[in-house]
Amino acid sequence: MTKRGVFAAAATVCGLLAVGSGSAEAAEDAVVIGLLDDLSGPTADLSGKGKVVAAQMAIDDFGGSVLGKPVRLLASDHQNKPEIASTQAREWYDRGGVDMITGMSNSAVALAVRAIARERGKVDVIAGGTADSLVGADCSPTGILWTATAHAIAGTTASVVSETEKSWFMLTVDYSGGKSLEAAAVEVLKAKGATIAGVARHPFNTADFSSFLLQAQSSGAKVLALSNTGADTLTALKQANEFGIRESGMKIVGLYFDTTQIKALEDAAVKGLVYTSSFYWNRDAQATAWAKRFMEQRGVLPSQSQAATYSSVLHYLKAVKAAGTTGSAKVIAEMQKIPVEDPVTGKGWIRADGRVMYDMYVMRAKARDAMTGPLDVVDLVKTVPAEEAFGPISPDCHVKS
């Protein structure tokens, strides 16, 4: 599909769902995938808008049909509100003919949709939320978590940086996703003998971080850890630069930062930032080629959650084909049986708890004068094997293999 065609398709599905359509009658002769995400809020560019493109790319790459039926994509904006997400999920599962819901940036939204899907025995494939409980107490026999958990993202970053830096200050967005990132990092830091000099929690979509940054500076910590996402992370980095955080002797790490955000910041605000990602578009020729294809259609490089959306939709369709049905139990069984292999993930697998296993990458943002092209924006610090990054199955998950 051309760039123009993808945007036309995205506009069509978003427009349809905005007025509440998507009837069971329209879905009877199709396999329908629902994408529920932030399409207009502070994380829209990093997640929802590009996820529509990524999902459609996966459908097109698979061939556009499965089991002799066309594959249709519906998209809706959850507005970062769990109650809106729950209402849409019920409508889609009960009357919209939707076979699987994916996307779900924002952990609170992901948890809300997971509860609806589990209650109805329907498939949810989360390519957004990072809460560890999604593969813990809130795991589900029909649920898959494609994005990396807070433990894998924040814990891996904390583990690597704490080898040399032992005093940390946590700046955390005050909702479940941010708190999960903070908790994961703190657990690792304490195990590594590091100390937490202070914690400050800010509201979602904060415009002024000055009071929080002053707390960080006065704490005496050597590392400022940003436990937030999207626009909050960008704003915090810009204002940290204005406050001279690095000049005062503090390093800055992003506990949930995305490589695509580097270009949105001035060199002084981002160079040297250390973070962990589930997607590295320079991993190999296939990953680079896929990232370039996405950029041709979307106009920008893909975020890690957009890459996860592509991988999740493609793998789901492979499983539907192998199962010979869209029945949830059989599809989930095939998703766990078939190895995950595509340009985005490389090679991986799905555990009994629904956790998708793949390598993680610790990155350091390059200075502008060290970049050789649009894809050369980071240095790879370390590749972390899946088992090390994600750890064992949680005892809180009672899904049986």
Side-chain angles (χ1 to χ4, degrees), residues 33-34 47 90 104 155 164 200 216 240 270 280 341 353 361 366 379 384 391 400:
I33 295 171
S47 57
R90 289 190 189 95
M104 292 169 279
T164 56
V270 71
Y280 179 39
E341 187 168 4
D353 61 348
Y361 308 97
K366 285 187 173 185
D379 288 315
V384 181
K400 298 185 183 297

PDB file of all heavy atoms in Angstrom, residues 33-34 47 90 104 155 164 200 216 240 270 280 341 353 361 366 379 384 391 400:
ATOM      1  N   ILE A  33      -9.552  -6.696  13.192  1.00  0.00           N
ATOM      2  CA  ILE A  33      -8.600  -6.316  14.231  1.00  0.00           C
ATOM      3  C   ILE A  33      -8.919  -4.903  14.678  1.00  0.00           C
ATOM      4  O   ILE A  33      -9.047  -3.987  13.858  1.00  0.00           O
ATOM      5  CB  ILE A  33      -7.159  -6.396  13.710  1.00  0.00           C
ATOM      6  CG1 ILE A  33      -6.797  -7.851  13.375  1.00  0.00           C
ATOM      7  CG2 ILE A  33      -6.170  -5.812  14.719  1.00  0.00           C
ATOM      8  CD1 ILE A  33      -5.478  -8.009  12.657  1.00  0.00           C
ATOM      9  N   GLY A  34      -9.076  -4.710  15.969  1.00  0.00           N
ATOM     10  CA  GLY A  34      -9.349  -3.385  16.517  1.00  0.00           C
ATOM     11  C   GLY A  34      -8.083  -2.789  17.111  1.00  0.00           C
ATOM     12  O   GLY A  34      -7.397  -3.434  17.911  1.00  0.00           O
ATOM     13  N   SER A  47       2.769   6.824  19.430  1.00  0.00           N
ATOM     14  CA  SER A  47       2.048   5.553  19.482  1.00  0.00           C
ATOM     15  C   SER A  47       0.959   5.469  18.420  1.00  0.00           C
ATOM     16  O   SER A  47       1.181   4.954  17.334  1.00  0.00           O
ATOM     17  CB  SER A  47       1.458   5.336  20.886  1.00  0.00           C
ATOM     18  OG  SER A  47       0.618   6.411  21.260  1.00  0.00           O
ATOM     19  N   ARG A  90     -15.912  -3.244  24.911  1.00  0.00           N
ATOM     20  CA  ARG A  90     -17.180  -3.989  25.014  1.00  0.00           C
ATOM     21  C   ARG A  90     -17.953  -3.929  23.701  1.00  0.00           C
ATOM     22  O   ARG A  90     -18.478  -4.940  23.223  1.00  0.00           O
ATOM     23  CB  ARG A  90     -18.037  -3.418  26.142  1.00  0.00           C
ATOM     24  CG  ARG A  90     -17.530  -3.700  27.541  1.00  0.00           C
ATOM     25  CD  ARG A  90     -18.564  -3.301  28.582  1.00  0.00           C
ATOM     26  NE  ARG A  90     -18.011  -3.363  29.933  1.00  0.00           N
ATOM     27  CZ  ARG A  90     -17.490  -2.328  30.567  1.00  0.00           C
ATOM     28  NH1 ARG A  90     -17.484  -1.130  29.995  1.00  0.00           N
ATOM     29  NH2 ARG A  90     -16.994  -2.466  31.785  1.00  0.00           N
ATOM     30  N   MET A 104      -3.282  -0.047  22.774  1.00  0.00           N
ATOM     31  CA  MET A 104      -3.446   0.168  24.217  1.00  0.00           C
ATOM     32  C   MET A 104      -2.227   0.779  24.892  1.00  0.00           C
ATOM     33  O   MET A 104      -1.752   0.288  25.917  1.00  0.00           O
ATOM     34  CB  MET A 104      -3.884  -1.128  24.907  1.00  0.00           C
ATOM     35  CG  MET A 104      -5.281  -1.565  24.519  1.00  0.00           C
ATOM     36  SD  MET A 104      -5.671  -3.246  25.068  1.00  0.00           S
ATOM     37  CE  MET A 104      -4.883  -4.247  23.810  1.00  0.00           C
ATOM     38  N   GLY A 155      14.369  -1.533  34.454  1.00  0.00           N
ATOM     39  CA  GLY A 155      15.301  -2.355  35.211  1.00  0.00           C
ATOM     40  C   GLY A 155      16.606  -2.571  34.478  1.00  0.00           C
ATOM     41  O   GLY A 155      17.689  -2.550  35.085  1.00  0.00           O
ATOM     42  N   THR A 164      28.228   2.156  37.596  1.00  0.00           N
ATOM     43  CA  THR A 164      29.149   3.254  37.914  1.00  0.00           C
ATOM     44  C   THR A 164      28.518   4.364  38.732  1.00  0.00           C
ATOM     45  O   THR A 164      29.219   5.104  39.416  1.00  0.00           O
ATOM     46  CB  THR A 164      29.710   3.859  36.613  1.00  0.00           C
ATOM     47  OG1 THR A 164      28.618   4.280  35.769  1.00  0.00           O
ATOM     48  CG2 THR A 164      30.546   2.840  35.855  1.00  0.00           C
ATOM     49  N   ALA A 200      10.141  12.541  43.051  1.00  0.00           N
ATOM     50  CA  ALA A 200       9.138  13.580  42.812  1.00  0.00           C
ATOM     51  C   ALA A 200       8.161  13.056  41.772  1.00  0.00           C
ATOM     52  O   ALA A 200       8.582  12.509  40.746  1.00  0.00           O
ATOM     53  CB  ALA A 200       9.787  14.872  42.322  1.00  0.00           C
ATOM     54  N   ALA A 216      15.472  17.805  42.346  1.00  0.00           N
ATOM     55  CA  ALA A 216      16.501  16.874  41.888  1.00  0.00           C
ATOM     56  C   ALA A 216      17.897  17.445  42.120  1.00  0.00           C
ATOM     57  O   ALA A 216      18.798  16.752  42.627  1.00  0.00           O
ATOM     58  CB  ALA A 216      16.291  16.562  40.410  1.00  0.00           C
ATOM     59  N   ALA A 240      15.331  20.415  31.757  1.00  0.00           N
ATOM     60  CA  ALA A 240      16.538  20.003  32.472  1.00  0.00           C
ATOM     61  C   ALA A 240      17.772  20.639  31.855  1.00  0.00           C
ATOM     62  O   ALA A 240      18.715  21.035  32.565  1.00  0.00           O
ATOM     63  CB  ALA A 240      16.662  18.480  32.447  1.00  0.00           C
ATOM     64  N   VAL A 270      19.713  16.219  24.713  1.00  0.00           N
ATOM     65  CA  VAL A 270      19.553  14.773  24.550  1.00  0.00           C
ATOM     66  C   VAL A 270      20.859  14.000  24.436  1.00  0.00           C
ATOM     67  O   VAL A 270      20.897  12.821  24.761  1.00  0.00           O
ATOM     68  CB  VAL A 270      18.662  14.475  23.318  1.00  0.00           C
ATOM     69  CG1 VAL A 270      19.390  14.779  22.026  1.00  0.00           C
ATOM     70  CG2 VAL A 270      18.151  13.036  23.333  1.00  0.00           C
ATOM     71  N   TYR A 280      15.610  -1.913  17.656  1.00  0.00           N
ATOM     72  CA  TYR A 280      16.819  -1.237  17.198  1.00  0.00           C
ATOM     73  C   TYR A 280      16.854  -1.346  15.683  1.00  0.00           C
ATOM     74  O   TYR A 280      17.125  -2.408  15.133  1.00  0.00           O
ATOM     75  CB  TYR A 280      18.046  -1.891  17.833  1.00  0.00           C
ATOM     76  CG  TYR A 280      19.379  -1.298  17.425  1.00  0.00           C
ATOM     77  CD1 TYR A 280      19.540   0.073  17.250  1.00  0.00           C
ATOM     78  CD2 TYR A 280      20.487  -2.122  17.230  1.00  0.00           C
ATOM     79  CE1 TYR A 280      20.759   0.613  16.886  1.00  0.00           C
ATOM     80  CE2 TYR A 280      21.721  -1.593  16.874  1.00  0.00           C
ATOM     81  CZ  TYR A 280      21.847  -0.227  16.706  1.00  0.00           C
ATOM     82  OH  TYR A 280      23.068   0.306  16.346  1.00  0.00           O
ATOM     83  N   GLU A 341       9.047 -14.457  14.402  1.00  0.00           N
ATOM     84  CA  GLU A 341      10.141 -14.131  13.487  1.00  0.00           C
ATOM     85  C   GLU A 341       9.654 -13.144  12.450  1.00  0.00           C
ATOM     86  O   GLU A 341       8.746 -13.439  11.670  1.00  0.00           O
ATOM     87  CB  GLU A 341      10.688 -15.398  12.812  1.00  0.00           C
ATOM     88  CG  GLU A 341      11.922 -15.141  11.985  1.00  0.00           C
ATOM     89  CD  GLU A 341      12.621 -16.422  11.556  1.00  0.00           C
ATOM     90  OE1 GLU A 341      12.093 -17.525  11.837  1.00  0.00           O
ATOM     91  OE2 GLU A 341      13.690 -16.330  10.928  1.00  0.00           O
ATOM     92  N   ASP A 353       2.912 -17.273  30.069  1.00  0.00           N
ATOM     93  CA  ASP A 353       2.265 -16.125  30.722  1.00  0.00           C
ATOM     94  C   ASP A 353       1.865 -15.039  29.746  1.00  0.00           C
ATOM     95  O   ASP A 353       1.352 -13.990  30.139  1.00  0.00           O
ATOM     96  CB  ASP A 353       3.182 -15.547  31.804  1.00  0.00           C
ATOM     97  CG  ASP A 353       4.520 -15.046  31.259  1.00  0.00           C
ATOM     98  OD1 ASP A 353       4.836 -15.345  30.083  1.00  0.00           O
ATOM     99  OD2 ASP A 353       5.250 -14.363  32.008  1.00  0.00           O
ATOM    100  N   TYR A 361      17.802  -3.656  23.994  1.00  0.00           N
ATOM    101  CA  TYR A 361      18.988  -2.910  23.586  1.00  0.00           C
ATOM    102  C   TYR A 361      19.165  -1.656  24.444  1.00  0.00           C
ATOM    103  O   TYR A 361      18.265  -0.808  24.509  1.00  0.00           O
ATOM    104  CB  TYR A 361      18.871  -2.506  22.110  1.00  0.00           C
ATOM    105  CG  TYR A 361      18.547  -3.682  21.219  1.00  0.00           C
ATOM    106  CD1 TYR A 361      17.224  -3.946  20.837  1.00  0.00           C
ATOM    107  CD2 TYR A 361      19.546  -4.541  20.785  1.00  0.00           C
ATOM    108  CE1 TYR A 361      16.917  -5.039  20.052  1.00  0.00           C
ATOM    109  CE2 TYR A 361      19.245  -5.642  19.991  1.00  0.00           C
ATOM    110  CZ  TYR A 361      17.933  -5.887  19.623  1.00  0.00           C
ATOM    111  OH  TYR A 361      17.629  -6.971  18.845  1.00  0.00           O
ATOM    112  N   LYS A 366      23.583   9.865  20.448  1.00  0.00           N
ATOM    113  CA  LYS A 366      24.791  10.491  19.923  1.00  0.00           C
ATOM    114  C   LYS A 366      24.667  12.015  19.907  1.00  0.00           C
ATOM    115  O   LYS A 366      23.562  12.563  19.839  1.00  0.00           O
ATOM    116  CB  LYS A 366      25.053  10.021  18.490  1.00  0.00           C
ATOM    117  CG  LYS A 366      25.586   8.615  18.354  1.00  0.00           C
ATOM    118  CD  LYS A 366      25.968   8.350  16.900  1.00  0.00           C
ATOM    119  CE  LYS A 366      26.670   7.022  16.739  1.00  0.00           C
ATOM    120  NZ  LYS A 366      27.146   6.822  15.358  1.00  0.00           N
ATOM    121  N   ASP A 379      24.450   5.144  19.870  1.00  0.00           N
ATOM    122  CA  ASP A 379      25.455   4.093  20.018  1.00  0.00           C
ATOM    123  C   ASP A 379      24.805   2.953  20.800  1.00  0.00           C
ATOM    124  O   ASP A 379      24.082   3.196  21.776  1.00  0.00           O
ATOM    125  CB  ASP A 379      26.669   4.603  20.791  1.00  0.00           C
ATOM    126  CG  ASP A 379      27.518   5.564  19.978  1.00  0.00           C
ATOM    127  OD1 ASP A 379      27.786   5.269  18.800  1.00  0.00           O
ATOM    128  OD2 ASP A 379      27.900   6.620  20.520  1.00  0.00           O
ATOM    129  N   VAL A 384      20.947  -7.068  25.520  1.00  0.00           N
ATOM    130  CA  VAL A 384      20.606  -7.860  26.700  1.00  0.00           C
ATOM    131  C   VAL A 384      19.721  -9.027  26.274  1.00  0.00           C
ATOM    132  O   VAL A 384      18.644  -8.816  25.704  1.00  0.00           O
ATOM    133  CB  VAL A 384      19.874  -6.993  27.748  1.00  0.00           C
ATOM    134  CG1 VAL A 384      19.541  -7.812  28.992  1.00  0.00           C
ATOM    135  CG2 VAL A 384      20.725  -5.779  28.123  1.00  0.00           C
ATOM    136  N   GLY A 391      13.347 -11.830  32.847  1.00  0.00           N
ATOM    137  CA  GLY A 391      13.300 -12.635  34.059  1.00  0.00           C
ATOM    138  C   GLY A 391      12.311 -13.787  33.954  1.00  0.00           C
ATOM    139  O   GLY A 391      11.677 -14.005  32.918  1.00  0.00           O
ATOM    140  N   LYS A 400      -2.075 -21.317  33.086  1.00  0.00           N
ATOM    141  CA  LYS A 400      -1.389 -22.600  32.917  1.00  0.00           C
ATOM    142  C   LYS A 400      -0.949 -22.782  31.468  1.00  0.00           C
ATOM    143  O   LYS A 400      -1.628 -22.375  30.546  1.00  0.00           O
ATOM    144  CB  LYS A 400      -2.319 -23.757  33.333  1.00  0.00           C
ATOM    145  CG  LYS A 400      -2.733 -23.696  34.802  1.00  0.00           C
ATOM    146  CD  LYS A 400      -3.525 -24.910  35.187  1.00  0.00           C
ATOM    147  CE  LYS A 400      -4.005 -24.812  36.620  1.00  0.00           C
ATOM    148  NZ  LYS A 400      -2.898 -24.780  37.554  1.00  0.00           N
TER     149      LYS A 400
END
